Amino acid sequence: MTHSPSRDILERWATGERIAPLPVREGAAPPAISFEFFPPKTPALETQLWACIQRLATLRPNFVSVTYGAGGSTQERTHATVLRIVQETDLTPAAHLTCVGATREAVDEVARRYWDAGVKHIVALRGDAPNGESYAPHPGGYAFAADLVAGLKRIADFEITVAAYPETHPQAPSPEADLDNLKRKLDAGATRAITQVFFDNDVFLRFLDRALAAGIKAPIVPGIMPVTNFKQAANFCAACGTSMPKWMAELFDGLDDDAETRRMVAAATTAEQVRVLQANGIDEFHFYTLNRPDLVYAISRILGVKPQPQSE
Ligand code: FAD
């Protein structure tokens, strides 16, 4: 077996043809980006989060979102983090809010507090039952995300983002039913969907085709997660129905004790993922930052997003 370049590549070199793995979209406008953070549990993690927010803020994201812990367990911390973003930055915050384990009145009260504090964008979700139990709607609560979207719209004219699942939500009876559910959420007043994390771009692009064919016109923004810890990510993905490609397992194989190489592999694979999406016309990206700025910062730069001066 030889490892020399193929005849085809040699011929292209000979003619001086530039071999680029992807079309470089010179002159194209940089994409819109958004970042997701989780509320910190300890003062040390809060310091880490704020360093992360400050670094990523220079890239002028469209908005930054703060998650709501499983079962609403981080309600106060989510609220405090979102409020601090309002008070100390000029970023536009989006607060995640879930239906799980709460009455409609309690959820509405949280939403009203956000609106009164100037937080006008909600990422509206059903949420999951804590500890891996199966989900059952609270008797007096919003049963599904579509109900929550409608409830929020009754309170105020929130901008609302919802979740979408290129690989189908694990509890959906079928991909078609799941797409109908996405449509219901958008029909109820949401104007954007962010996807569950995925690693196979074809799956995402086929999902966009299906959504378009179903009459969905709202933007469906890819949720991008740079993976540095393959084992941890594999556990998370198994729970949320995201498949981990075999090539990815192979790339990380044997790197458990080599954090630096894992970071380089993560940077390369995520950069490749977003550039392929960009080459396919995707112009909006949402990054799951895990409260760590460096990889996401570099990948945003690779997409053409540059730091901008702070507005006065
Ligand atoms: P829904 O849209 O309500 O759908 C849930 C399931 O129910 C689907 O299978 C759907 O097809 C089905 N369904 C919907 N309506 C009906 C109906 N009327 N009858 C029967 N079945 C129905 N979780 C958190 O706890 N906190 C977060 O901050 C958080 N942020 C997230 C951000 C993003 C971008 C994403 C993609 C997920 C996030 N999650 C979060 C996880 C999310 O809560 C779970 O994936 C949850 O299992 C589903 O939430 P959903 O809003 O998609 O639910």
Side-chain angles (χ1 to χ4, degrees):
M1 197 165 106
T2 74
H3 293 281
S4 53
S6 71
R7 179 176 296 277
D8 177 47
I9 289 179
L10 287 172
E11 277 167 13
R12 289 166 71 187
W13 280 349
T15 60
E17 188 184 336
R18 181 164 160 228
I19 297 173
L22 289 170
V24 176
R25 294 176 23 125
E26 281 164 16
I33 52 171
S34 54
F35 300 125
E36 182 173 306
F37 307 113
F38 62 84
K41 262 194 188 143
T42 63
L45 289 175
E46 178 154 8
T47 306
Q48 178 187 317
L49 168 65
W50 278 85
C52 176
I53 291 177
Q54 273 150 10
R55 181 151 162 77
L56 294 178
T58 61
L59 296 174
R60 314 303 301 150
N62 260 19
F63 65 91
V64 297
S65 77
V66 182
T67 61
Y68 205 65
S73 55
T74 66
Q75 182 177 319
E76 285 310 319
R77 280 188 279 128
T78 299
H79 198 261
T81 306
V82 171
L83 244 57
R84 194 170 162 195
I85 291 172
V86 173
Q87 285 157 2
E88 296 183 23
T89 74
D90 58 1
L91 295 166
T92 304
H96 291 218
L97 189 55
T98 64
C99 312
V100 64
T103 61
R104 283 196 196 101
E105 291 71 25
V107 173
D108 289 357
E109 182 51 32
V110 175
R112 272 192 214 96
R113 276 169 72 194
Y114 278 130
W115 185 266
D116 293 345
V119 179
K120 313 268 153 122
H121 184 171
I122 302 280
V123 182
L125 304 141
R126 185 199 75 178
D128 291 311
N131 311 321
E133 292 155 31
S134 60
Y135 175 79
H138 187 285
Y142 293 112
F144 294 100
D147 309 310
L148 174 59
V149 174
L152 290 170
K153 279 291 185 189
R154 282 193 291 271
I155 292 171
D157 191 19
F158 283 107
E159 176 179 349
I160 301 178
T161 295
V162 290
Y165 300 86
E167 297 182 69
T168 305
H169 185 268
Q171 287 143 29
S174 68
E176 293 72 28
D178 208 29
L179 205 53
D180 282 348
N181 177 49
L182 174 59
K183 209 162 178 304
R184 278 199 298 280
K185 294 192 275 193
L186 295 163
D187 290 344
T191 50
R192 174 195 296 99
I194 295 175
T195 73
Q196 184 58 278
V197 62
F198 64 92
F199 301 103
D200 183 339
N201 282 341
D202 285 348
V203 167
F204 171 74
L205 294 169
R206 279 200 300 270
F207 176 66
L208 287 192
D209 289 341
R210 287 199 291 122
L212 269 176
I216 291 174
K217 295 194 180 73
I220 299 181
V221 180
I224 304 292
M225 188 169 76
V227 167
T228 50
N229 185 328
F230 181 79
K231 286 191 173 158
Q232 216 174 53
N235 288 339
F236 168 77
C237 289
C240 70
T242 295
S243 51
M244 300 286 277
K246 208 164 158 238
W247 58 259
M248 207 162 166
E250 277 163 15
L251 283 184
F252 283 96
D253 184 36
L255 292 179
D256 288 0
D257 299 324
D258 186 351
E260 200 185 335
T261 306
R262 280 194 276 118
R263 278 173 62 73
M264 289 187 208
V265 172
T269 52
T270 313
E272 191 173 302
Q273 179 181 22
V274 295
R275 287 207 55 219
V276 169
L277 291 173
Q278 191 178 38
N280 278 281
I282 304 303
D283 59 3
E284 194 170 346
F285 294 85
H286 181 78
F287 289 100
Y288 297 108
T289 69
L290 307 179
N291 294 2
R292 295 181 185 279
D294 294 348
L295 279 179
V296 170
Y297 188 89
I299 289 153
S300 300
R301 290 293 314 237
I302 287 168
L303 283 168
V305 180
K306 291 196 174 140
Q308 304 289 320
Q310 296 279 342
S311 53
E312 291 306 312

